[in-house]
């Protein structure tokens, strides 16, 4: 096995190849994907259903087939319906799904973030009620954290939950809630004690998205699709049995979700390496036909994109090596999303530059492969915001990796209602 040891003591050595066990596992995953190919949705041209409801059902079926083949919840414990495998095996499944052009699992937020939060903080009854159905996409989940006035500063959220007998009564608004328009359940962070400092007065709940008082309004993105939503909560009753963790412990529960979000985003399943291969094929096809002045610019864009994407790929190998050796993602995972998003933007821009007008005209359901570059270009600014904006990630790198002085946070210890914010 080729192993490179880097001199910086914070860096893990990098394995570029699978271990024999990982190679055998990868072969089994490939065989399973080939066996079930006819039952899965693929990203290939022309397969996208025009009707969003049909598309949703097809994606639910795809996840069910994969779950039955043992390819969902790979690193979840068997007692929770998972496969009891390693994070490295989970990353291999992610890579092979990308290679087979199977789209992201419809319940990726449930599997990556909500499920692990229910596992860590839920009761045995909640485990029993939710986890197996979540893995099979019988129930789709969403994450109800961000609000119009609290995204990066999540702990400043204003949605309230007030105890009333055996229930909590919830009022407020969430926004940017991915998948809320198809979700059956969500994890909801709400303020239960405005008299305490902002981080201390929060509680987490499981919300039934079909409950009376829940209104979901899809938001239209610049790429034409509607992936996320506004969610309005008007006197929604949540039984106390649907609380996750103790009252006032919501921030601790939310940190479990956010840690898992970072592992999910940095889990190695992205297809940036495959995009570079596709970019090289596109360049071989298109470059010779471009006028000389555009060729020069396109070559430079290609070079920049390939360098960034390959650097990102090798950093990803370091992360996978750490995971495969039983570690957890370290500081490189914090920087990973920042670098990965920047590299993906360069790759999409280079593809659009090669295609010129064709990139624009090939957009829409059922378009040919050319449309993917433009779709990615329109989608990536959102990725630079979701799960921590570029600026906030740079703050984290500054404070936690480089050890720079923290930002002033003068409202941290004052009661929430005394900060000028009103729940
Ligand atoms: C594609 C997508 C999917 C999403 N899905 C979900 C979801 O499923 N559930 C959910 O709850 N939320 C979701 N979000 C919301 C996301 O978590 C927030 O958009 C994000 O946390 C930023 O919050 P904000 O939009 O309120 O921006 P703000 O926090 O208001 O930030 C505005 C600008 O100020 C900058 N800024 C803020 N604070 C600082 C600081 N301390 N230092 C320097 N700069 C700063 C930011 O970088 C940004 O440029 C999603 C967002 C996107 C784009």
């Amino acid at each position: 096995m080729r192993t490179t040891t880097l001199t910086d003591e914070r860096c893990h050595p990098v394995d570029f190849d699978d271990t024999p066990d990982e190679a055998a596992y990868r072969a089994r995953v490939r065989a399973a994907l080939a066996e079930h190919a006819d039952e899965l949705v693929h990203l290939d041209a022309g397969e996208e259903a025009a009707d969003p409801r049909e598309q949703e059902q097809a994606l639910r079926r795809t996840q069910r087939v994969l779950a039955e083949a043992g390819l969902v919840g790979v690193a979840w414990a068997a007692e929770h319906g998972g496969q009891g495998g390693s994070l490295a095996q989970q990353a291999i499944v992610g890579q092979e799904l990308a290679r087979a052009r199977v789209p992201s699992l419809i319940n990726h937020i449930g599997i990556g973030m909500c499920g692990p939060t229910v596992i860590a903080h839920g009761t045995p009854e909640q485990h029993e009620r939710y986890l197996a159905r979540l893995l099979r996409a019988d129930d789709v989940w969403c994450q109800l954290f961000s609000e119009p006035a609290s995204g990066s500063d999540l702990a400043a959220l204003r949605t309230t939950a007030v105890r009333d007998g055996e229930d909590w009564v919830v009022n407020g608004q969430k926004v940017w809630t991915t998948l809320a328009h198809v979700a059956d359940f969500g994890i909801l962070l709400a303020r239960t004690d405005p008299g305490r400092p902002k981080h201390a007065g929060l509680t987490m709940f499981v919300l039934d998205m079909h409950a009376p008082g829940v209104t979901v309004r899809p938001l239209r993105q610049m790429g034409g699709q509607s992936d996320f939503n506004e969610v309005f909560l008007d006197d929604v009753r949540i039984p106390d049995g649907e609380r996750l963790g103790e009252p006032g412990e919501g921030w601790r529960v939310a940190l479990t979700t956010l840690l898992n979000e970072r592992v999910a985003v940095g889990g190695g399943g992205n297809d940036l390496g495959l995009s570079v291969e596709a970019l090289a094929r596109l360049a071989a096809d298109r470059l010779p036909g471009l006028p000389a002045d555009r060729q020069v610019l396109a070559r430079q864009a290609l070079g920049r994109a390939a360098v960034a994407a390959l650097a990102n790929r090798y950093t990803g190998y370091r992360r996978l090596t750490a995971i495969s050796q039983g570690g957890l993602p370290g500081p490189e995972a914090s920087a990973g999303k920042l670098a990965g998003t920047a590299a993906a933007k360069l790759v999409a821009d280079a593809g659009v530059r090669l295609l010129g007008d064709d990139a624009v005209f090939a957009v829409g359901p059922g378009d040919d492969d050319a449309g993917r570059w433009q779709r990615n270009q329109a989608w990536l600014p959102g990725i630079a915001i979701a799960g921590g904006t570029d600026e906030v990630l740079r703050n984290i790198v500054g404070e936690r990796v480089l050890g720079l002085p923290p930002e002033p946070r003068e409202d941290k210890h004052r009661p929430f209602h005394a900060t000028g914010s009103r729940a």
Side-chain angles (χ1 to χ4, degrees), residues 72-334:
V72 180
V74 172
W76 284 27
E79 63 180 295
H80 299 311
Q83 301 299 314
S86 64
L87 284 174
Q89 288 179 334
Q90 182 174 292
I92 287 171
V93 171
Q95 290 168 345
E96 292 304 320
L97 288 172
R99 181 173 292 279
R101 308 276 294 137
V102 176
S104 294
L105 297 183
I106 187 168
N107 222 0
H108 61 100
I109 291 179
I111 296 162
M113 292 166 241
C114 306
T117 307
V118 172
I119 289 172
H121 301 281
T123 60
E125 292 73 32
Q126 287 171 325
H127 293 169
E128 180 75 22
R129 195 155 57 241
Y130 295 126
L131 297 175
R133 291 181 59 83
L134 182 157
L135 288 174
R136 288 168 45 87
D138 293 338
D139 299 325
V140 171
W141 285 63
C142 65
Q143 176 196 11
L144 298 138
F145 284 16
S146 304
E147 298 185 5
S150 60
S152 302
D153 188 10
L154 176 61
L157 62 83
R158 298 174 188 192
T159 292
T160 55
V162 177
R163 187 74 194 249
D164 180 26
E166 282 308 298
D167 295 341
W168 294 81
V169 180
V170 180
N171 281 286
Q173 185 198 338
K174 298 289 174 178
V175 72
W176 315 126
T177 319
T178 305
L179 291 171
H181 56 302
V182 295
D184 304 290
F185 293 98
I187 50 173
L188 170 85
L189 193 57
R191 187 163 305 282
T192 44
D193 190 349
R196 302 193 65 198
K198 61 181 182 179
H199 293 88
L202 303 171
T203 304
M204 189 78 81
F205 300 92
V206 174
L207 173 69
D208 176 353
M209 294 297 290
H210 306 297
V214 178
T215 307
V216 178
R217 286 202 200 136
L219 294 163
R220 177 68 68 98
Q221 291 140 248
M222 69 173 161
Q225 73 280 41
S226 293
D227 296 311
F228 44 45
N229 307 268
E230 297 177 294
V231 179
F232 296 89
L233 304 157
D234 297 303
D235 288 330
V236 179
R237 298 192 80 85
I238 302 183
D240 187 50
E242 295 301 356
R243 187 167 30 81
L244 279 178
E246 294 302 314
E249 290 280 301
W251 187 251
R252 198 169 66 84
V253 181
L255 288 180
T256 303
T257 316
L258 299 174
L259 174 74
N260 277 284
E261 187 168 22
R262 195 185 309 167
V263 175
V265 170
N270 77 56
D271 68 347
L272 203 49
L274 295 176
S275 297
V276 172
E277 287 163 24
L279 189 62
R281 282 196 301 276
L282 185 68
D285 183 37
R286 294 282 179 144
L287 208 50
L290 291 182
D293 55 338
R294 277 185 58 198
Q295 265 203 32
V296 173
L297 294 174
R299 278 180 197 280
Q300 288 176 4
L302 278 167
R304 269 196 299 274
V307 167
L310 290 174
N312 195 64
R313 177 194 276 189
Y314 295 128
T315 306
Y317 283 162
R318 181 176 303 129
R319 191 166 58 230
L320 277 184
T321 304
I323 291 172
S324 139
Q325 292 170 356
L328 275 177
E332 69 273 11
S334 308

